[in-house]
Amino acid sequence: MEGSNTAVTATKIAPPRPPSRHLHRTRLIERLEESVNAGGTVVLASAPAGSGKSTLVNTWLDRRSVKVGWLQIDEGDDDPSRFWVGLAAAVHGGVPAVAEVITTTISDGTDAVVAAMVNAIAESGAEIALVLDDYHLVSNPEVHRGVEQLITRRPANLIVVVSTRVDPPFRLGRLRVRGELSEIRAADLRFERDESAWLLDAETLGLDRDAVEQLTTRTEGWAAGLVLAALSLHRVADVAEFVDSFRGDDHLVADYLSDEFLDAIEPNERQRLLEVAVLDQLSGSLIDDVCGTSDGAAWLTSLAAGNQLVISLDRSGTWFRFHHLPRDLLRIELERTSPKRAAVLHANADGGTPQRVTWWLRSTISSRPAARSRPPTSWPRTPPSC
């Protein structure tokens, strides 16, 4: 690895702030706490997009007396130098010495970096929880090798949390046999009926137990599906008819996201959501710069307060990002319906803030049939549970 002077943005190493209205999932938190206390200090939260992995991990860690180092991974972290610099920045609050040792060893290769980080954490004596969020975006074998080394050599005061849509290429079986692995899967994250009732705000919407049960069954307890169902329920006149017609298998959930969710939104608001979705991270000023608006901050605040489509990335409520699943849908729909406008927005993003923004120009979009917008192939065939 070569040395790196890459600056790490504050939002990349800050735990996402939970939505203003979110459920403390006591049964999962207590199970996770018990497993970690029994020695399962490598936590694998592996489930599809929209399953509630990050919110659960963040809520659990809020209860622990531990220094949290949170790294929000993106495609650029396939560069080993950038990855380890980001990791050092993430744990700096608990282990200030890490930044210096990484800087001095990064040119010596992965083995030297991992050894230096392990020693610095061990010598600090502070209990550290290191969260690698969206780890599925890493594809570089050298990064995988280094992270597995870190897990294997981790000191007693380090908890490693890997949050991902797909299992990482680590030797998980060995960790299981040793009792060192705590796992949270899609099946664990499924919302049960009472949890779904809370998420749907059933009392406000006038949903009875049977209606909640129907939506829970049809979404298989998938958080994103339940949240989007609640958004549409606020706009329909006949709640019973909506519940009866809602389905939760993969193709029908995709149809719902495309047809019911987007089509239920007022056209100007719908177009704005499509345009803003070209951004990986959202702030009021960035929205104004890229989309040519003047009220980006107020609009974003309203969006964040009114639903759970966006996740706060900082404590001040300035930076947000879309949940991955709705973001993918919005980007597909923008490319399908307004390709010229999409090109303008991508150009604006490129010219305005190249370090903050990446855009979605994958060949899979242009190859999709125009007659029907479908979700990315990475979506699960069965709706993930929360």
Side-chain angles (χ1 to χ4, degrees):
M1 291 185 293
E2 297 181 356
S4 176
N5 295 318
T6 303
V8 180
T9 58
T11 55
K12 185 173 174 64
I13 56 174
R17 185 174 59 182
S20 56
R21 185 178 181 275
H22 72 284
L23 182 63
H24 287 263
R25 307 190 70 187
T26 304
R27 63 184 177 87
L28 294 179
I29 291 172
E30 289 180 351
R31 198 188 90 183
L32 186 54
E33 185 73 9
E34 181 180 354
S35 179
V36 170
N37 289 339
T41 54
V42 178
V43 177
L44 177 63
S46 182
S51 300
K53 301 182 294 294
S54 298
T55 298
L56 175 65
V57 168
N58 201 9
T59 306
W60 166 59
L61 289 174
D62 275 346
R63 294 178 42 156
R64 293 184 65 94
S65 298
V66 59
K67 295 287 187 180
V68 177
W70 193 291
L71 182 63
Q72 183 66 51
I73 292 173
D74 57 42
E75 289 87 347
D77 291 311
D78 252 358
D79 177 344
S81 294
R82 172 172 166 163
F83 178 85
W84 291 107
V85 167
L87 214 59
V91 301
H92 181 268
V95 191
V98 164
E100 182 177 353
V101 298
I102 293 299
T103 300
T104 57
T105 60
I106 200 165
S107 61
D108 297 329
T110 297
D111 294 349
V113 168
V114 172
M117 177 168 283
V118 168
N119 291 340
I121 292 173
E123 292 168 4
S124 74
E127 187 178 359
I128 306 294
L130 174 60
V131 181
L132 305 177
D133 199 11
D134 283 345
Y135 190 78
H136 56 273
L137 295 175
V138 172
S139 61
N140 189 327
E142 185 66 14
V143 175
H144 289 316
R145 187 176 75 85
V147 173
E148 187 163 24
Q149 279 189 15
L150 177 63
I151 288 172
T152 301
R153 302 175 184 177
R154 71 193 183 283
N157 59 323
L158 176 64
I159 299 170
V160 179
V161 182
V162 179
S163 179
T164 178
R165 296 185 191 179
V166 296
D167 284 5
F170 304 154
R171 287 167 287 186
L172 299 176
R174 184 169 66 175
L175 293 171
R176 290 190 188 102
V177 169
R178 293 177 175 177
E180 298 175 354
L181 186 65
S182 299
E183 297 182 72
I184 297 293
R185 298 286 180 175
D188 305 313
L189 290 164
R190 287 175 181 163
F191 271 59
E192 297 176 349
R193 184 179 60 191
D194 290 345
E195 294 174 320
S196 296
W198 184 92
L199 190 60
L200 289 164
D201 198 8
E203 184 175 349
T204 299
L205 290 170
L207 297 174
D208 59 22
R209 289 176 64 86
D210 288 342
V212 172
E213 183 69 38
Q214 279 184 278
L215 291 174
T216 303
T217 299
R218 290 171 181 170
T219 61
E220 298 189 54
W222 173 37
L226 290 164
V227 168
L228 292 172
L231 290 174
S232 284
L233 280 165
H234 280 286
R235 299 182 174 92
V236 300
D238 191 331
V239 170
E241 181 182 359
F242 173 85
V243 172
D244 286 340
S245 63
F246 184 82
R247 292 294 182 271
D249 62 72
D250 61 337
H251 292 299
L252 293 176
V253 167
D255 289 344
Y256 164 73
L257 288 170
S258 299
D259 300 333
E260 299 297 332
F261 168 58
L262 287 180
D263 291 348
I265 298 174
E266 187 272 329
N268 290 338
E269 179 72 2
R270 177 180 182 276
Q271 184 62 29
R272 188 163 194 176
L273 282 170
L274 295 179
E275 295 188 359
V276 168
V278 302
L279 301 171
D280 282 340
Q281 295 186 358
L282 312 173
S283 75
S285 59
L286 184 56
I287 290 170
D288 289 340
D289 288 343
V290 172
C291 300
T293 54
S294 59
D295 62 341
W299 178 83
L300 185 56
T301 298
S302 176
L303 180 67
N307 60 62
Q308 298 182 24
L309 288 179
V310 293
I311 297 172
S312 176
L313 294 176
D314 60 20
R315 299 290 175 180
S316 65
T318 302
W319 285 93
F320 296 83
R321 67 171 173 85
F322 279 105
H323 281 278
H324 299 303
L325 203 57
R327 182 198 64 184
D328 292 343
L329 169 72
L330 292 166
R331 289 177 174 182
I332 290 171
E333 190 68 4
L334 178 66
E335 294 285 346
R336 186 180 71 85
T337 60
S338 307
K340 292 183 179 179
R341 178 59 176 164
V344 170
L345 293 168
H346 292 316
N348 290 348
D350 184 25
T353 50
Q355 293 182 346
R356 296 180 184 170
V357 182
T358 57
W359 53 90
W360 203 60
L361 290 174
R362 297 174 183 169
S363 59
T364 52
I365 295 300
S366 59
S367 65
R368 295 185 187 278
R372 190 63 175 170
S373 174
R374 286 291 184 189
T377 56
S378 61
W379 286 15
R381 292 193 59 78
T382 301
S385 59
C386 285

